[in-house]
Amino acid sequence: MILEDDLKACQAILKALEELEFEAIKKGVELSALVLQECVFVEEFVNQRDWTGEEIVFLDREADKGQAGSFHDLDFEKFDKDRIISISSVPDFNEDARKQGIHRVVQKDFTKMDEFEEKIEEELRGILNIT
């Protein structure tokens, strides 16, 4: 699940997923992506559902579309916190996620999206146990 409002960041995450897809399938793991670009969907959709515990969540902090709310309104207790990756470009927002018990953080830097994608792939490898 990608909670991110910026298409460039979504593209980097999807590219990392694509890079790992074949290796994941060999391990019996199918990858799919749900991209939610507006904070309102956290309250109205994500928090209202039960999840399997197998989801990987890419968590930005807020959608920059003049909306009230934040992707951090996520009900963190519905997910395995080891499978949530905080991806804000703002260090304080990633620190806020750490305070919620999230220890996987990849700081987004829009001037270094190749590095961002590589770090996302590294975190995914750790979560999926792909070496």
Side-chain angles (χ1 to χ4, degrees), residues 1-13:
M1 178 182 316
I2 303 170
L3 303 177
E4 168 64 65
D5 66 315
D6 184 86
L7 289 174
K8 190 173 193 174
C10 289
Q11 179 183 20
I13 294 166

Side-chain angles (χ1 to χ4, degrees), residues 61 72 88-99 107:
R61 172 127 188 297
H72 279 211
S88 181
S89 59
V90 179
D92 287 347
F93 295 166
N94 287 323
E95 186 57 35
D96 289 345
R98 280 190 173 101
K99 290 176 184 172
Q107 182 148 341

Side-chain angles (χ1 to χ4, degrees), residues 1-11 34-42 60 62-65 67 71:
M1 178 182 316
I2 303 170
L3 303 177
E4 168 64 65
D5 66 315
D6 184 86
L7 289 174
K8 190 173 193 174
C10 289
Q11 179 183 20
L34 171 64
V35 179
L36 300 173
Q37 292 185 273
E38 296 183 19
C39 312
V40 67
F41 292 121
V42 169
D60 193 17
E62 53 189 305
D64 188 21
K65 296 182 180 176
Q67 303 170 354
F71 289 128

Side-chain angles (χ1 to χ4, degrees), residues 9-71:
C10 289
Q11 179 183 20
I13 294 166
L14 290 169
K15 193 170 177 187
L17 288 166
E18 178 188 25
E19 290 293 322
L20 294 177
E21 185 176 32
F22 182 70
E23 292 174 74
I25 289 170
K26 287 192 320 188
K27 292 189 78 109
V29 176
E30 289 190 40
L31 300 175
S32 61
L34 171 64
V35 179
L36 300 173
Q37 292 185 273
E38 296 183 19
C39 312
V40 67
F41 292 121
V42 169
E43 284 294 330
E44 293 181 4
F45 176 74
V46 178
N47 288 348
Q48 302 302 317
R49 298 174 101 52
D50 291 325
W51 298 93
T52 66
E54 296 297 314
E55 294 79 19
I56 298 170
V57 179
F58 298 93
L59 179 68
D60 193 17
R61 172 127 188 297
E62 53 189 305
D64 188 21
K65 296 182 180 176
Q67 303 170 354
S70 164
F71 289 128

